[in-house]
Each structure stands twice: as structure tokens, then as C-alpha cells.
Amino acid sequence: MNSNTGPSADPSEARPPLTPALTGDELARWYWTLAELNALARRLDVPRGGGKAALTERLRAALDGRPLPAAPARRPAAARRLSAPVDGTTVIPEGQRCSQVLREFFRREIGPAFHFDGYMRAYVAEHAGHTLAEAVAHWHATRAAAAGPQEIGAQFEFNRFLRAWHADHPAGTRDEALAAWRAHRSAPR
């Protein structure tokens, strides 16, 4: 079985409770949800921002008595977020997020097939100073690439697991995939 799709260790080894008594290495050996990691971070008074990987590294340092890696700098809040009405000449401000105002505009301009995919989220985040008409052109220009298989980010471990499992088990059912996921996340890494 693919290492991404099933347990790779002794099934009799059970995941320990997530407590401050763990070592950093033991924390890293097991799958933990972000909610579980956040709960431990609150108990240890460790900053919780920056995503699961960054939080895990800070928790490992705290559990091992090492200095914490720097917490990520907070993104400044947008000085001005777009509010309705907007049109093609509206300029995307710094720090703008993919909001309902933008979704409604893009659905009016592009149609009901519009959705915020990775290409559009990146465009909004990285193209302050550009117009919404340019964003619509970007949507149309990226549809061929968006139609192909997309890489799933490492932070989406469940989705990555399911894609790999279904590639290895094309006739597998949803229940079988979920059972395999539960076994995978219960096993040490």
C-alpha cells in the first residue's frame, strides 16, 4: 500500500493523549487536528497563528523547552475593503479578501460557474492596484490551467490522502476511504 494511503507502523501502538507531557518528537510522530493543536497551544500559552505547520513547530519547541520560533507577522488589516457597489473600474485595495461583494460582482460578470479557486484567490491577494475588469480577464485566461488537476497544499492533508487513496483504489467506496483515513491518522508517522 502507498505510504500516503495506509498505516505504516505497528497497529498496536496507540496515539498518546495530547498533553504538555509529550516531547516535541512524539508530537511530530502523530496526526493532530488544528483544533487539537490550538487547544494545546492555549494550555502552553503558545501563539496560535500562522497555520498548522508553524503552530506544530512552535509547540515542538515549547514541549522540548527550546525558544519558540518567531510567530508570523500579522498581516495588516486592509485600510479599505471593498463594499458594494463595485464595477470593472473598481481598484483592488491592499489586503482585500475574497469577499461576498467580490463573489457577487464576479458572478454577475462571469456567470454562475464563477468560484474562488486558487488562481483567483492569489490574484486578489497579490494584485492590489489592479481593476476588477483585469481580475475578470485573469479568470478567463486561467480556465484551461484550472481545469487540470491541481496540487493540493500540504496543509490539506485529508484531501491529499483521499486523492492518493482513490488513485490506489479506484473502485473504493467513500466509507472505505474514510476508514483508511482514520487508520492513517491514528498511526505514527
Side-chain angles (χ1 to χ4, degrees):
M1 188 179 277
N2 179 325
S3 64
N4 291 333
T5 60
S8 58
D10 178 359
S12 66
E13 189 174 6
R15 185 175 89 150
L18 185 56
T19 68
L22 285 179
T23 66
D25 286 343
E26 191 65 10
L27 176 81
R29 285 187 69 219
W30 300 92
Y31 174 85
W32 308 100
T33 65
L34 183 57
E36 290 171 315
L37 295 173
N38 275 323
L40 181 61
R42 275 191 289 282
R43 285 179 70 185
L44 297 173
D45 199 28
V46 169
R48 297 186 309 270
K52 189 174 179 181
L55 176 57
T56 300
E57 286 310 307
R58 283 193 301 281
L59 285 171
R60 288 184 74 184
L63 291 170
D64 291 342
R66 295 182 284 117
L68 299 183
R74 294 185 64 94
R75 280 191 276 176
R80 174 171 118 14
R81 295 242 168 88
L82 294 178
S83 58
V86 297
D87 62 27
T89 64
T90 302
V91 174
I92 300 169
E94 187 70 39
Q96 177 65 43
R97 294 181 183 235
C98 298
S99 66
Q100 279 303 116
V101 169
L102 289 183
R103 183 182 316 279
E104 290 168 11
F105 168 78
F106 290 132
R107 286 223 169 119
R108 271 194 324 268
E109 296 296 312
I110 294 167
F114 173 79
H115 59 279
F116 281 112
D117 59 13
Y119 293 100
M120 288 303 286
R121 286 190 304 272
Y123 190 89
V124 169
E126 299 166 6
H127 287 84
H130 290 248
T131 66
L132 293 182
E134 291 172 302
V136 169
H138 174 76
W139 165 267
H140 291 298
T142 58
R143 291 311 86 200
Q150 303 298 309
E151 181 175 335
I152 300 173
Q155 72 272 32
F156 302 112
E157 186 174 354
F158 175 69
N159 295 353
R160 290 171 67 113
F161 175 88
L162 288 181
R163 180 181 282 180
W165 190 89
H166 282 294
D168 289 349
H169 306 88
T173 67
R174 178 180 185 276
D175 288 341
E176 291 169 334
L178 292 175
W181 167 250
R182 285 189 293 275
H184 170 76
R185 73 177 190 183
S186 296
R189 299 179 189 269

